[in-house]
Amino acid sequence: MSEPTQKEISIPWPGKSAIAVTLTIPPDTVERSGYGLLLGPGAGGDEKTALLTAVANEVARHGHFCARYRAKVPNLGFRVSLCTRVVEHLFHPATGVHPLKGCFLGGHSMGTRVAGTVAAQLAAKDPTSTTDTSSSAPAKKTAAKGKKATPSKKSASAAAAPSDFPPNYISGLIFFSYPLHTADNTKALRDQILYDIPSTTPTLFISGLKDTMCQPTLLAKVFKDMKASPREVVQVSDADHGLGFGSSKPAQGKKEALIDAISEWTMQFMDEAITIVSKKSQGDGYEVEDKAKTVKKSVAVTKKAELKKMADEWTVAVSTVA
């Protein structure tokens, strides 16, 4: 089987420095899907980590474009604008270099916060969107308590985002180690971004149960109150914020195996989301919705079965909201 092609490109950004991007292109022997994935790095800005590289290659093998942007400035607003620029330049359905009918957003740690914010921005500029962050119960609760999530919400509305993307262009969100809080302060939650994700945006979380920046009990509460649907959490026992298990040689081998599994889970999630969209586009009404639910259920069952097979390597817990 032919392998994807890696291409280093530079995207112009008027008034700012060009953006370095690694574009992973599907092999010529694979049919192009018309969908893509844009991944953002953690606060350190490294877009070529083993995890992001493995996911990009797996996604491209199945016919999807995958881009990974470099971002060294650890500022959320700056990165949101940068991410939006990359989506617009590369994947815009009408003007992009590689026009797509839908794009998934994701990344690791800070990259997930960026992805969620961009998804909420584009939905807010979509006149057909039902997203209304001002009426969200969790949003009011957070604002009333004076949480630090409020500045994040302001930065989302302040950053410029194109208004001419088609409705529901963001096909899903993929979060590797979402940093719900800092390692030393579990009271200041970065939850508003998650509450602002549109109800029509499928969302996948993959995190470690030993992640010091995402306490499982706190994530469970936020996950329950989110609007995004379907949404799913895969939590890996003993894995840390970097989705690793330590520095020993056996631990490194275990992390490599987990990265392979995460790549497959990501691909399954994307296939599920794309299948649901395709089914819905074939018609309207209850019958189409019912078919979509059937497809979604069958894929979820398959995913859980495969997770159980890997129990000898690590323990996982899966929570799903359809």
Side-chain angles (χ1 to χ4, degrees), residues 111-185:
T112 65
R113 296 175 64 202
V114 173
T117 303
V118 172
Q121 278 187 359
L122 295 183
K125 289 180 174 289
D126 171 15
T128 66
S129 173
T130 57
T131 299
D132 182 5
T133 57
S134 64
S135 63
S136 167
K140 286 183 179 180
K141 188 176 182 181
T142 303
K145 289 183 178 181
K147 301 280 187 177
K148 288 186 178 181
T150 302
S152 297
K153 184 179 178 183
K154 289 181 178 179
S155 66
S157 60
S163 59
D164 59 346
F165 279 89
N168 300 317
Y169 176 75
I170 301 303
S171 306
L173 295 170
I174 300 165
F175 294 160
F176 304 136
S177 300
Y178 183 86
L180 186 58
H181 51 75
T182 62
D184 56 358
N185 187 357

Side-chain angles (χ1 to χ4, degrees), residues 8-26:
E8 303 296 330
I9 62 176
S10 181
I11 295 178
W13 194 8
K16 298 182 177 65
S17 299
I19 306 166
V21 173
T22 300
L23 180 65
T24 307
I25 303 171

Side-chain angles (χ1 to χ4, degrees), residues 5 15 22 91 97 103 112 121 134 145 186 228 232 291-292 298:
T5 301
T22 300
F91 300 142
V97 177
C103 183
T112 65
Q121 278 187 359
S134 64
K145 289 183 178 181
T186 60
E232 183 167 16
K291 289 180 180 178
S298 65

Side-chain angles (χ1 to χ4, degrees), residues 204-210 216 232-239 243 245 254 257-262 265 268 300-320:
L204 171 67
F205 293 83
I206 298 179
S207 62
L209 288 175
K210 288 189 175 180
E232 183 167 16
V233 174
V234 177
Q235 294 176 307
V236 184
S237 179
D238 297 326
L243 291 167
F245 304 91
K254 195 173 180 180
L258 179 58
I259 287 176
D260 289 341
I262 289 174
W265 299 339
Q268 289 176 342
V301 170
T302 301
K303 185 183 295 184
K304 290 178 183 178
E306 293 184 359
L307 290 173
K308 289 179 180 178
K309 291 179 183 178
M310 298 173 183
D312 58 336
E313 291 291 333
W314 53 78
T315 303
V316 298
V318 181
S319 299
T320 305

Side-chain angles (χ1 to χ4, degrees), residues 37-176:
L37 169 63
L38 177 59
L39 295 170
D46 184 5
E47 79 282 9
K48 295 184 179 181
T49 62
L51 173 60
L52 298 186
T53 299
V55 169
N57 286 328
E58 181 67 14
V59 165
R61 290 188 190 103
H62 288 77
H64 312 304
F65 279 90
C66 186
R68 291 167 282 153
Y69 62 84
R70 184 179 305 161
K72 295 297 184 180
V73 178
N75 176 276
L76 182 62
F78 175 84
R79 290 197 183 196
V80 166
S81 296
L82 184 150
C83 177
T84 302
R85 172 59 183 158
V86 174
V87 176
E88 183 180 34
H89 179 85
L90 281 181
F91 300 142
H92 191 283
T95 62
V97 177
H98 300 285
L100 300 175
K101 52 190 175 184
C103 183
F104 291 79
L105 299 178
H108 177 258
S109 193
M110 189 174 188
T112 65
R113 296 175 64 202
V114 173
T117 303
V118 172
Q121 278 187 359
L122 295 183
K125 289 180 174 289
D126 171 15
T128 66
S129 173
T130 57
T131 299
D132 182 5
T133 57
S134 64
S135 63
S136 167
K140 286 183 179 180
K141 188 176 182 181
T142 303
K145 289 183 178 181
K147 301 280 187 177
K148 288 186 178 181
T150 302
S152 297
K153 184 179 178 183
K154 289 181 178 179
S155 66
S157 60
S163 59
D164 59 346
F165 279 89
N168 300 317
Y169 176 75
I170 301 303
S171 306
L173 295 170
I174 300 165
F175 294 160
F176 304 136

Side-chain angles (χ1 to χ4, degrees), residues 275-296:
T275 299
I276 293 172
V277 170
S278 298
K279 291 290 184 180
K280 288 182 179 180
S281 67
Q282 293 173 11
D284 52 20
Y286 178 81
E287 183 179 0
V288 175
E289 292 289 340
D290 188 57
K291 289 180 180 178
K293 289 178 181 178
T294 301
V295 171
K296 179 166 55 181

